[in-house]
Amino acid sequence: MLFSELSDGTIVTEEAYYSENKAFFESLPFHHRIKPIATKLAPKYPFDVAFDVIRHSGIVIGKTQCIAPEIIADATAAVDVKQGYALCSVLKADGFAITADKSLYKVLLDNNCETLLVSGKYIALNGYDCGFIGGASCVVEKLKTVVFFGNFEMHEDFLKIKGFIESRGYKIIYPKDMPLEDFGGIKII
């Protein structure tokens, strides 16, 4: 929710966040790709979702009135949805997605993304009734692997999810000794 990668590989983030962590960012081997932008984030919804977008085939999907202008300008089109936590709500890999959000499911299908609709239960999120599958997972494209943050065998749609992912040539990794939990996701750069 603090970054978004543009089509040219530039990673945009909030100026204030960049300034607070400048020494760290400048120590990264890819620091030249990080660009602070004027978009301001705030701790409360919907002012925290400027970077929380799904990217698919050149388009961005999210709550368009909240998305950073640089992200919209980088897309061939922007699709507006009610769900501000669009990327959090979706496990998104190259060419496929998994979500419990029916409206995102429809938008993804309408934009030619193979998408699996699953139950929204069984994912913990501290302080909330349930978490999101995008926040409880990470896709490592270079290794064609999906990592779940916890024992996703406990999810009622485990077999359906497992079959969907494996049928697309991806492996699955997860620890069995902890519950499936939404930690906000991880973006591999």
Side-chain angles (χ1 to χ4, degrees), residues 112-147:
N112 300 314
C113 182
E114 291 182 74
T115 307
L116 177 67
L117 184 64
V118 297
S119 169
K121 301 176 185 176
Y122 309 102
I123 299 172
L125 177 58
N126 191 16
Y128 297 90
D129 293 338
C130 66
F132 299 117
I133 196 163
S137 63
C138 170
V139 178
V140 185
E141 289 295 346
K142 288 182 181 178
L143 302 175
K144 291 194 74 145
T145 301
V146 175
V147 179

Side-chain angles (χ1 to χ4, degrees), residues 93 134 159 165-166:
L159 292 175
I165 292 170
E166 289 177 345

Side-chain angles (χ1 to χ4, degrees), residues 17-189:
Y17 184 70
Y18 182 86
S19 294
E20 291 168 9
N21 299 284
K22 188 174 182 176
F24 169 72
F25 289 129
E26 288 179 351
S27 73
L28 298 173
F30 55 87
H31 71 274
H32 60 282
R33 291 177 45 207
I34 302 170
K35 177 184 173 187
I37 60 174
T39 294
K40 295 197 182 313
L41 297 174
K44 296 209 181 233
Y45 179 83
F47 307 105
D48 60 346
V49 299
F51 301 108
D52 199 330
V53 299
I54 300 165
R55 294 178 175 278
H56 179 70
S57 297
I59 66 168
V60 293
I61 301 165
K63 194 170 195 65
T64 55
Q65 69 201 40
C66 300
I67 298 172
E70 292 84 350
I71 295 171
I72 291 182
D74 182 57
T76 56
V79 179
D80 186 49
V81 294
K82 276 184 162 180
Q83 177 57 271
Y85 297 113
L87 187 58
C88 291
S89 300
V90 176
L91 182 164
K92 178 69 175 74
D94 286 348
F96 73 87
I98 302 172
T99 187
D101 186 298
K102 290 178 182 172
S103 63
L104 288 173
Y105 171 75
K106 182 177 180 342
V107 166
L108 287 160
L109 285 179
D110 288 349
N111 284 282
N112 300 314
C113 182
E114 291 182 74
T115 307
L116 177 67
L117 184 64
V118 297
S119 169
K121 301 176 185 176
Y122 309 102
I123 299 172
L125 177 58
N126 191 16
Y128 297 90
D129 293 338
C130 66
F132 299 117
I133 196 163
S137 63
C138 170
V139 178
V140 185
E141 289 295 346
K142 288 182 181 178
L143 302 175
K144 291 194 74 145
T145 301
V146 175
V147 179
F148 285 97
F149 310 146
N151 187 351
F152 104 106
E153 290 178 17
M154 304 310 292
H155 194 287
E156 77 175 339
D157 292 323
F158 163 69
L159 292 175
K160 191 162 62 166
I161 295 168
K162 183 177 184 290
F164 185 80
I165 292 170
E166 289 177 345
S167 72
R168 278 135 189 92
Y170 284 68
K171 296 178 281 188
I172 300 168
I173 298 173
Y174 57 94
K176 290 187 177 188
D177 60 345
M178 61 185 269
L180 184 58
E181 190 164 353
D182 181 339
F183 289 108
I186 294 175
K187 174 73 175 156
I188 304 296
I189 299 174

